[in-house]
Amino acid sequence: MGIWWIVCLSFAIVLGSILIFRLHAFLTLLLAGMLVASLAGDTELRRHAQQEAAKLKLSGEAAHQYVDKFADSGAASRLTAAFGEMAGKIGILIALASVIGQCLLESRAASTIVDRMLKITGTRFAAEAMAASSFVIAIPVFFDTVFYLMVPLARSLREKLGKDYVLYILAIVAGGAIAHSLVPPTPGPLFVAEALGVNIGTMLMAGLFIGACSSFCSLLAARVINRFVTVPLRDGEIDHGSAPSEGRDDGVKAFQLDADESNSGLSSNAGRSSDAANPSLTESLLPILIPVVLISLGSIAAYLVDSGTVFESAWTRFASILGDKNIAIAVGTVFALTLVRYCPATRRSTVVSRSLAAAGGIILITCAGGAFGSMLRQAGIAEAVADLASGVPGLMLLPVAFAVTASIRTLQGSATVAMITAAGVLQGFAQLDSLAFHPVYLAVAIGAGSKPVSWMTDSGFWIITKMSGMTEAEGLKTMSVLTTVMGLAALAITMVCAWVLPGN
């Protein structure tokens, strides 16, 4: 069977399983991966094995035996091996990031960041403060939970000022939603970086810059939308029964497990006697900033050594060790665990166990997506994409990646599943010798494509509309429009950056 027929069939399996049969994303991606692995031809498997043997620097009889063994292996064994390889790459990182996020939420460190931002900016620039706070907090915490945290503040500001409720709600989306898709260690951008062979530090820096610029543009759009759409302050409550399950990330929302029971505590002191019971701003920011700084320094040190700007020395080796993604996030976890003393006494002993339980679902989905992508690669998707890309000029590859991801996102709702699925198909672009820009721009374009269009298939759409008290029509006029603008803005900024600083 031709590779594009395999791709179409696997896409049909993914979309049909999620939309029609409501199958869990983990099982869906495994099923699609098994299908692709079973349909891969012997010629494609041998070609892939030869490429892997070359990477391992095998030659002669050793390379011949490696190719024969790989080509003779069963579909299930190849899928299992790919699953395990992806778990080794990102499993620890996601688990530790989950711990950091839960500690920030339950200790009220996240609330401290927001409160301090609002004190600095005042009510005049409250929307900017909320967008910036959401962006920072969404780096280790999933967007749905960021919204749970922030929406009481939006309601309070509306009650105090009597206007601009839509602006405050959309400011939260403008900050948090884009970080969810562009900035590791959130699973979506983390997976895309791994699939395309992009250094995690490079992805982090590009995601922070392009994400911040897109967030700014989105906030401008939010101000425009606020002029044309007025939403009264109604009682907001999530009606889980009305949210269609096909749009949910099925475990990708790591911290939603405790959102209902802890939501009231996130918006107030929840029985704490004074502000002294809350962590300081420095304590609150360290678990987020330390991993970002360490990973960035490690990437800079590696770049300087590789480019010959500096010679390898003790400090560059030390920076590389601390800059390793797992080490950096582990250091951030240590700082996060110091916040446990601020958590309610009855929940302190279970913070880590609950975080890891939630992270398990994320890891399973992400690794299943990695295995699916690996099976596509073994089936020859890289070569097929290379042939297809030969007729696509330069920067136009980025809109192609954006459109593929956006179509998957709009159909099935989950931004993370859309990024995982699209990266599996588009990974061949990153391997092109003729690529006119650094692969990180391709990764960011995929992330940008995961934003449009948030509507009825997206669980985030239902969470935002129900918690804010919007009707479905109001959500379509606000949330759907903003996420489309957000994705297009991120794509435009990415294309400009790839043109001005190709970095290849």
Side-chain angles (χ1 to χ4, degrees):
M1 182 179 290
I3 181 59
W4 291 115
W5 282 109
I6 295 177
V7 169
C8 291
L9 187 57
S10 62
F11 267 40
I13 291 294
V14 171
L15 295 175
S17 297
I18 292 175
L19 294 174
I20 299 174
F21 299 105
R22 311 293 198 270
L23 197 62
H24 192 283
F26 168 67
L27 298 177
T28 295
L29 292 168
L30 274 187
L31 178 62
M34 189 64 188
L35 175 71
V36 175
S38 301
L39 296 177
D42 183 73
T43 301
E44 287 74 21
L45 291 177
R46 288 185 175 276
R47 181 168 53 210
H48 177 79
Q50 289 168 358
Q51 295 170 351
E52 292 299 309
K55 292 179 183 178
L56 296 173
K57 298 182 179 179
L58 300 177
S59 60
E61 185 62 26
H64 183 71
Q65 291 178 356
Y66 179 89
V67 171
D68 286 342
K69 182 178 179 181
F70 184 86
D72 293 338
S73 60
S77 63
R78 288 186 278 113
L79 183 68
T80 304
F83 183 95
E85 182 180 357
M86 182 56 64
K89 290 180 178 179
I90 63 176
I92 294 175
L93 194 64
I94 293 176
L96 295 180
S98 178
V99 174
I100 292 176
Q102 196 75 16
C103 289
L104 288 173
L105 289 173
E106 297 203 16
S107 67
R108 287 185 49 80
S111 292
T112 296
I113 297 172
V114 176
D115 293 341
R116 183 60 60 89
M117 281 279 193
L118 289 173
K119 286 181 180 179
I120 294 173
T121 62
T123 56
R124 181 180 178 184
F125 298 103
E128 285 76 7
M130 296 182 74
S133 300
S134 298
F135 187 87
V136 172
I137 297 170
I139 294 175
V141 179
F142 286 97
F143 171 69
D144 285 7
T145 309
V146 173
F147 193 81
Y148 275 105
L149 168 68
M150 301 289 288
V151 71
L153 296 173
R155 297 178 67 86
S156 298
L157 284 169
R158 168 61 177 80
E159 290 175 347
K160 180 178 181 180
L161 302 178
K163 60 180 181 178
D164 295 336
Y165 185 45
V166 169
L167 174 60
Y168 299 138
I169 292 296
L170 295 184
I172 301 171
V173 179
I178 195 66
H180 177 80
S181 292
L182 296 188
V183 185
T186 307
L190 177 64
F191 174 89
V192 174
E194 290 287 352
L196 302 186
V198 176
N199 178 273
I200 190 67
T202 304
M203 183 67 186
L204 181 61
M205 289 185 283
L208 286 172
F209 176 75
I210 296 175
C213 293
S214 174
S215 182
F216 175 78
C217 296
S218 301
L219 189 57
L220 294 179
R223 290 190 176 278
V224 175
I225 295 171
N226 184 60
R227 290 178 177 270
F228 293 95
V229 181
T230 300
V231 175
L233 191 61
R234 310 183 184 101
D235 289 335
E237 179 181 352
I238 287 197
D239 178 10
H240 291 289
S242 64
S245 60
E246 66 265 30
R248 298 179 182 173
D249 278 350
D250 289 323
V252 176
K253 299 163 180 69
F255 311 109
Q256 192 172 328
L257 296 175
D258 302 300
D260 289 332
E261 59 186 271
S262 62
N263 186 46
S264 59
L266 292 174
S267 58
S268 67
N269 277 339
R272 301 176 191 266
S273 59
S274 67
D275 288 339
N278 296 331
S280 67
L281 180 64
T282 301
E283 289 178 295
S284 303
L285 286 174
L286 282 177
I288 301 173
L289 297 182
I290 290 295
V292 172
V293 171
L294 291 179
I295 291 173
S296 300
L297 288 177
S299 297
I300 292 172
Y303 171 77
L304 293 176
V305 171
D306 293 341
S307 64
T309 306
V310 299
F311 293 105
E312 186 174 3
S313 60
W315 81 265
T316 58
R317 288 192 292 271
F318 184 67
S320 296
I321 292 173
L322 289 180
D324 178 86
K325 58 189 179 184
N326 292 311
I327 298 297
I329 203 74
V331 175
T333 305
V334 172
F335 283 95
L337 290 174
T338 64
L339 300 173
V340 172
R341 68 183 187 275
Y342 296 105
C343 298
T346 56
R347 298 172 67 84
R348 290 175 190 168
S349 61
T350 61
V351 169
V352 174
S353 60
R354 285 184 285 109
S355 304
L356 295 179
I362 311 166
I363 295 170
L364 288 174
I365 291 172
T366 310
C367 293
F372 172 45
S374 182
M375 295 306 100
L376 285 171
R377 189 163 56 250
Q378 293 175 16
I381 189 63
E383 291 77 13
V385 167
D387 293 339
L388 182 66
S390 61
V392 180
L395 291 177
M396 292 307 296
L397 288 175
L398 298 178
V400 169
F402 175 90
V404 170
T405 313
S407 63
I408 301 171
R409 148 73 160 167
T410 302
L411 287 172
Q412 55 80 47
S414 167
T416 303
V417 172
M419 294 174 71
I420 289 173
T421 307
V425 177
L426 300 171
Q427 58 192 331
F429 283 150
Q431 301 172 11
L432 296 178
D433 294 333
S434 59
L435 194 64
F437 45 80
H438 195 283
V440 70
Y441 295 119
L442 180 63
V444 174
I446 291 174
S450 71
K451 294 296 91 185
V453 174
S454 177
W455 66 306
M456 276 69 169
T457 61
D458 176 21
S459 66
F461 174 88
W462 292 101
I463 288 173
I464 291 170
T465 54
K466 294 302 180 182
M467 280 210 70
S468 62
M470 290 185 185
T471 65
E472 287 81 357
E474 290 167 343
L476 291 172
K477 295 176 184 177
T478 56
M479 174 74 172
S480 301
V481 174
L482 186 71
T483 55
T484 302
V485 171
M486 182 185 301
L488 292 173
L491 174 63
I493 296 166
T494 302
M495 294 183 70
V496 171
C497 291
W499 177 53
V500 177
L501 296 171
N504 56 337

